[in-house]
Amino acid sequence: MKFSFDRFKKYVEYILGFIVSYYILILLLTVFYPLEINKEYSTIVLCRNNSLLHAFLTSDDKWRMYTELEEITPELKLAIVFKEDKFFYYHPGINPVSVARATANNLRKGKRTSGASTITMQVARLLKPKKRTYFNKLKEAFRAMQLEMLLSKDEILQLYLNLVPYGSNIEGVKSASVIYFGKMPDHLSIGEIAALSIIPNRPVSLKPGHNNDYIENERNKWLNRYREAGLFESKFIEDAIKEPLTASRREIPRLAPHLCYRLKNQYPDENSIRSTLNTEIQCQSEKIVKEYIQRLYFQNIKNATAIIIDNSTREVLAYVGSADFENEEDGGQVDGIQAVRSPGSTLKPLLYGIAIDKGIITPKTIITDVPVSFAGYEPENYNEKFNGLITIENALAGSLNVPAVKILSEISPQILINKLIEANFYTIKQQKDDLGLSLVLGGCGVTLEELAGLYSAIANQGIYKSLKYKNSQEKPITRTILSKESAFMITEILTQLKRPDFPVHWENTMHTPKIAWKTGTSYGRRDAWSIGYNKNYTIGVWLGNFSGEGVPELNGAEKATPLLFQLFNSVDYNSPKDWFSIPDELDMRYVCSQSGKIPGEFCSDLIIDYYIPGISSNETCTHLKKVFINADSTISYCTSCLPETGYKTALYPNLVPEIITFFEENNIHYLKVPPHNPDCERMLSGSKPVITSPVHENEYFVNVTDSMEIMLSCHTANDVDNVFWYINKKFYKSATAGLNVFFTPPEGKVEISCSDDKGRNTDIIIYVKHTSF
């Protein structure tokens, strides 16, 4: 028979026409009967090395974990395709040979004895499960052809591996791999792959953990078939046959539940979320926090939270939201890391850093720690004591309240608020219009993650970057909140061990980590904080009760800091030898120990202090002043009344009025300037009285039925013996300097004046309303 090119061409045209018509038909039918391939999957959260942290059931209570294409190993692909559909990569969704063979067998025997379902047809059935009938089989075939048109072969295989049933509520090879073998599918051995490949056909009789010997025998049969087909090398098959089957239903990991729930809610469309957590550090941290709270539980301290940050990347390595997630009685499912609480004194390091950058202070600057009123706000220290004169570094290390409020008053609360907003303090941004001087003592709302992020910024030369909980390419927020020079100085101060907030039981121990840290205790002892850092890590700790109940024994030093130290020792024992280096722009100079300022002509006791050239103040020390006095040191002179002979000069402390008042009230000896020459007629210049009570332009409500009085008090200079009070320009009373006076004010606007015995005067105005209740 002669070959006819025309006839061959005609056959080709028929075939091509059939194929084109076939695809056009499928496409047209798809318009009217679209294929739905979206399936809900279990959300899984992975740690940084891709091991499983946590998984969540689907809304229909299935374990259906999404298998990524890269998790489908060549061995898994070969085994599944060989067993389920050898010609998977060659047919268009339906295998005509298999259909013909199955039809012939079923007709010959008068019943269904074999099927012809391809992997693609099985996927179609798994997407929309229906009763097995010939009509539904035709629908599956149509859906299979749709799948083949819309997806690649590998994507269809991926769908199959995601949906294939493994008995009970387990679907998909990833779910089965995790639940039965405790590992991801790309870590399965050939023996484990073979076992998983046979279970879907008989999930009841081949149930791992119940009849493993039977499963092992069935697995080995298929392993021998793999060898006969040359699927894998013989030595690998031998090893797989010898491998004991240890499969059983395991508990799904439930690590870091608070963060995992948070990430699931934050990324609802992601099936697999890769977090930044380190599994080893997370497990260890959860254990330490839980055991620590168990020891404090009967002191009525029932919860704790902790966060650990890698300072080099700002990635969160551990996230412990409560002491015990399963403890519903004490709010274990509350995420304490995101809970808004009072920060106590933990914002002070930022405040002092800002003041350093503004050139107001350096570590050795002397500041007064005495009772003071800021428009009626009178802060007190934690121990209700005052220190008089103290250095900035000791004020911060000792967490003194009064010096902190004084500095905040000088730079203004808005400056601190703006810096906190730059560091992503969300609640402070919401409260910004209502915050005042109490802000630095805890009069605001913050979260542990916000504070930990702030301290991580100090550890990174003052550069703030938003914390990372998820491995992604998202660009972090980056802002400079402190200079590297002030950040270093703050770190040096916070590294000191001789400080009142050092936990008693850690003294003289070899296990104290080398870190910079700060504690905080909120009003009412509801919150105890301790946040520390070294070059590698920042760790934040909070203790308290989620109910808000205060505990008398609760404080940052004795309760939170020991937990902080334990966590540091668990992640960075003995701490790194590499410590923070001094910035190139930071310098040192001699200053007067009595003021922290550049030495003046009378300064003899000098110490070394850090300073920032061009920024730090160059003010010269004037802590002593030269005074003309008579021979027996009982009278002082000014230049106007200085006699020609019979006088001498002496040095006296140049104290501010408020420290003089403090010394007088506490009977602290100091060298006083003798009274001025009574025969002098010149009005002296110098510090005029500072009225501390009442407060200028404040409104006072006076109960006239109780004979209520208002206190008059002031601070005066060192050379003042007596002061004179005037009410509405009429003389009221004279008093010794530092002595409080009381009066009953008239209603309305009241003018108050205070003059000292040197003729210096201060005036204020108050407004009074009389009440009868």
Side-chain angles (χ1 to χ4, degrees):
M1 184 176 174
K2 278 188 175 185
F3 172 76
S4 172
F5 179 77
D6 291 338
R7 182 178 294 177
F8 174 75
K9 182 179 177 183
K10 197 169 187 178
Y11 284 145
V12 170
E13 288 174 350
Y14 284 151
I15 293 170
L16 289 175
F18 174 78
I19 293 172
V20 170
S21 300
Y22 164 79
Y23 279 107
I24 290 174
L25 178 62
I26 297 296
L27 286 172
L28 288 173
L29 289 173
T30 300
V31 172
F32 296 100
Y33 303 100
L35 179 65
E36 296 179 8
I37 57 176
N38 292 326
K39 200 78 173 177
E40 182 191 358
Y41 292 96
S42 299
T43 299
I44 64 170
V45 183
L46 309 172
C47 71
R48 62 195 303 111
N49 67 355
N50 286 334
S51 61
L52 185 63
L53 278 175
H54 206 101
F56 299 89
L57 287 164
T58 60
S59 59
D60 57 349
D61 291 330
K62 300 287 187 182
W63 289 117
R64 189 185 301 120
M65 301 180 191
Y66 187 79
T67 307
E68 305 285 353
L69 280 170
E70 56 267 23
E71 292 179 304
I72 304 173
T73 61
E75 294 81 6
L76 177 60
K77 185 185 294 187
L78 283 171
I80 294 296
V81 170
F82 178 81
K83 182 180 179 302
E84 293 296 327
D85 187 359
K86 295 185 180 65
F87 300 100
F88 172 67
Y89 284 98
Y90 305 101
H91 61 65
I94 303 169
N95 188 337
V97 176
S98 297
V99 171
R101 185 185 65 247
T103 302
N105 288 337
N106 294 341
L107 289 173
R108 186 173 63 252
K109 296 183 179 180
K111 62 179 180 178
R112 186 179 183 277
T113 59
S114 63
S117 292
T118 61
I119 286 178
T120 314
M121 292 175 68
Q122 291 184 62
V123 169
R125 183 173 64 250
L126 291 170
L127 285 171
K128 290 286 184 181
K130 295 184 184 299
K131 186 178 179 180
R132 294 197 176 191
T133 65
Y134 286 110
F135 176 73
N136 286 335
K137 206 71 173 174
L138 289 173
K139 291 176 68 174
E140 284 175 16
F142 166 65
R143 294 300 187 190
M145 290 184 285
Q146 283 183 303
L147 283 167
E148 293 283 345
M149 289 187 65
L150 297 172
L151 303 176
S152 68
K153 287 288 186 179
D154 282 345
E155 288 171 333
I156 293 171
L157 181 61
Q158 180 188 20
L159 256 180
Y160 172 78
L161 293 175
N162 281 331
L163 302 176
V164 61
Y166 279 91
S168 185
N169 65 339
I170 302 171
E171 293 183 6
V173 70
K174 189 176 208 170
S175 301
S177 176
V178 168
I179 293 172
Y180 292 140
F181 293 106
K183 60 180 71 172
M184 291 298 181
D186 53 351
H187 287 73
L188 292 170
S189 67
I190 292 175
E192 291 165 340
I193 288 172
L196 288 182
S197 70
I198 63 175
I199 294 173
N201 299 117
R202 290 178 287 166
V204 176
S205 60
L206 300 176
K207 190 174 183 179
H210 290 267
N211 43 8
N212 280 10
D213 290 341
Y214 179 56
I215 297 174
E216 191 172 326
N217 289 333
E218 294 298 308
R219 176 201 71 180
N220 292 344
K221 290 178 184 178
W222 276 98
L223 285 171
N224 285 318
R225 291 174 186 171
Y226 295 162
R227 176 163 46 193
E228 291 168 7
L231 215 62
F232 305 109
E233 291 184 33
S234 184
K235 62 178 181 178
F236 295 143
I237 297 295
E238 286 298 325
D239 290 340
I241 290 174
K242 293 176 184 177
E243 181 183 334
L245 185 67
T246 58
S248 63
R249 181 150 188 162
R250 293 166 166 79
E251 287 293 325
I252 296 287
R254 290 174 57 82
L255 293 172
H258 298 92
L259 178 62
C260 292
Y261 273 100
R262 176 177 176 175
L263 292 175
K264 179 179 183 289
N265 293 331
Q266 191 171 349
Y267 303 99
D269 298 326
E270 294 191 25
N271 301 313
S272 180
I273 303 170
R274 187 181 176 194
S275 75
T276 59
L277 296 192
N278 180 303
T279 305
E280 183 180 350
I281 294 176
Q282 178 69 30
C283 289
Q284 185 69 11
S285 300
E286 287 185 8
K287 181 174 182 289
I288 289 172
V289 171
K290 185 173 184 177
E291 291 177 352
Y292 189 80
I293 286 300
Q294 285 174 347
R295 296 195 295 271
L296 298 179
Y297 195 85
F298 292 103
Q299 296 181 36
N300 202 31
I301 301 172
K302 299 180 177 180
N303 245 308
T305 63
I307 188 170
I308 300 178
I309 301 166
D310 183 334
N311 284 335
S312 63
T313 61
R314 313 298 173 95
E315 293 178 345
V316 174
L317 304 180
Y319 189 106
V320 184
S322 69
D324 183 359
F325 185 80
E326 303 301 330
N327 182 355
E328 295 184 8
E329 181 181 350
D330 298 311
Q333 295 179 9
V334 173
D335 186 353
I337 289 177
Q338 293 189 89
V340 178
R341 317 289 298 192
S342 166
S345 297
T346 54
L347 298 180
K348 289 175 182 174
L350 177 61
L351 169 67
Y352 283 88
I354 294 169
I356 289 173
D357 282 334
K358 288 188 170 296
I360 298 172
I361 59 172
T362 58
K364 301 297 184 183
T365 298
I366 298 294
I367 191 169
T368 59
D369 175 29
V370 298
V372 65
S373 176
F374 298 93
Y377 175 52
E378 300 178 0
E380 291 185 346
N381 291 323
Y382 182 77
N383 60 4
E384 299 181 351
K385 297 178 181 179
F386 299 92
N387 297 275
L389 297 171
I390 192 167
T391 62
I392 287 295
E393 63 180 353
N394 288 337
L396 175 55
S399 195
L400 300 180
N401 292 339
V402 175
V405 175
K406 289 189 71 171
I407 292 173
L408 183 58
S409 176
E410 185 170 354
I411 69 170
S412 92
Q414 195 57 49
I415 298 295
L416 179 59
I417 291 168
N418 291 341
K419 286 290 184 181
L420 291 168
I421 292 173
E422 286 180 26
N424 252 18
F425 279 70
Y426 178 77
T427 304
I428 284 180
K429 185 177 181 180
Q430 304 301 112
Q431 299 172 332
K432 63 181 180 179
D433 295 331
D434 302 317
L435 299 176
L437 294 176
S438 64
L439 162 69
V440 74
L441 305 186
C444 59
V446 304
T447 66
L448 180 58
E449 68 179 333
E450 290 169 346
L451 285 174
L454 172 64
Y455 280 72
S456 183
I458 300 174
N460 280 277
Q461 298 186 321
I463 298 174
Y464 171 82
K465 288 185 180 178
S466 52
L467 300 183
K468 291 180 66 177
Y469 297 102
K470 178 177 176 286
N471 272 323
S472 65
Q473 300 301 315
E474 294 178 12
K475 190 175 181 180
I477 298 169
T478 304
R479 298 186 180 104
T480 300
I481 58 172
L482 290 177
S483 71
K484 55 187 174 182
E485 294 80 25
S486 64
F488 177 82
M489 286 187 260
I490 294 300
T491 298
E492 288 292 284
I493 294 171
L494 297 182
T495 308
Q496 295 179 16
L497 296 180
K498 292 189 176 182
R499 48 199 273 190
D501 63 349
F502 192 89
V504 174
H505 298 297
W506 283 77
E507 290 180 353
N508 304 317
T509 174
M510 297 289 291
H511 301 296
T512 302
K514 184 180 180 181
I515 59 172
W517 86 96
K518 182 73 185 73
T519 62
T521 306
S522 69
Y523 178 78
R525 295 179 182 260
R526 296 181 177 91
D527 309 279
W529 306 85
S530 193
I531 303 156
Y533 60 90
N534 60 21
K535 201 161 187 181
N536 292 334
Y537 303 101
T538 294
I539 301 180
V541 164
W542 171 89
L543 270 73
N545 296 306
F546 290 146
S547 64
E549 180 183 359
V551 180
E553 296 79 18
L554 185 66
N555 64 74
E558 293 301 327
K559 300 305 179 186
T561 299
L563 177 56
L564 175 75
F565 286 179
Q566 284 187 44
L567 290 170
F568 255 109
N569 284 338
S570 73
V571 298
D572 211 15
Y573 185 68
N574 279 338
S575 298
K577 294 179 180 178
D578 183 24
W579 191 245
F580 300 95
S581 56
I582 301 176
D584 294 337
E585 293 78 7
L586 186 63
D587 210 340
M588 290 187 283
R589 65 185 179 188
Y590 282 105
V591 295
C592 177
S593 64
Q594 301 302 306
S595 65
K597 298 177 182 179
I598 294 175
E601 59 176 318
F602 306 130
C603 300
S604 57
D605 185 13
L606 306 185
I607 55 176
I608 295 177
D609 189 18
Y610 288 114
Y611 80 107
I612 307 173
I615 300 295
S616 299
S617 172
N618 290 321
E619 186 178 350
T620 302
C621 175
T622 57
H623 82 282
L624 292 175
K625 60 182 178 180
K626 186 186 293 185
V627 180
F628 298 112
I629 57 176
N630 61 3
D632 57 2
S633 304
T634 58
I635 294 176
S636 62
Y637 301 106
C638 66
T639 55
S640 295
C641 63
L642 183 67
E644 294 183 3
T645 59
Y647 70 90
K648 62 181 179 180
T649 60
L651 295 176
Y652 287 87
N654 190 18
L655 302 175
V656 295
E658 63 185 37
I659 200 70
I660 293 173
T661 303
F662 176 74
F663 286 166
E664 293 287 349
E665 290 177 348
N666 291 275
N667 297 315
I668 298 173
H669 175 73
Y670 68 100
L671 190 60
K672 296 184 69 173
V673 177
H676 192 65
N677 179 11
D679 297 327
C680 180
E681 297 180 355
R682 179 186 175 192
M683 184 181 293
L684 297 178
S685 62
S687 298
K688 60 184 179 180
V690 177
I691 298 175
T692 57
S693 175
V695 178
H696 180 51
E697 292 191 340
N698 269 21
E699 187 175 36
Y700 292 83
F701 292 85
V702 176
N703 189 337
V704 292
T705 60
D706 289 343
S707 301
M708 185 182 292
E709 295 183 312
I710 291 179
M711 183 177 73
L712 300 172
S713 65
C714 67
H715 295 321
T716 60
N718 193 355
D719 56 354
V720 174
D721 293 317
N722 297 291
V723 295
F724 308 92
W725 292 98
Y726 296 81
I727 307 298
N728 288 333
K729 298 180 180 180
K730 293 181 180 180
F731 177 73
Y732 175 67
K733 186 178 287 188
S734 65
T736 303
L739 186 67
N740 296 332
V741 174
F742 294 86
F743 82 109
T744 301
E747 191 168 22
K749 179 180 177 181
V750 180
E751 296 181 22
I752 300 173
S753 299
C754 180
S755 299
D756 62 21
D757 52 17
K758 303 300 181 290
R760 296 169 295 214
N761 181 76
T762 299
D763 300 319
I764 67 167
I765 294 172
I766 64 171
Y767 300 92
V768 177
K769 285 187 178 181
H770 286 173
T771 65
S772 57
F773 55 87

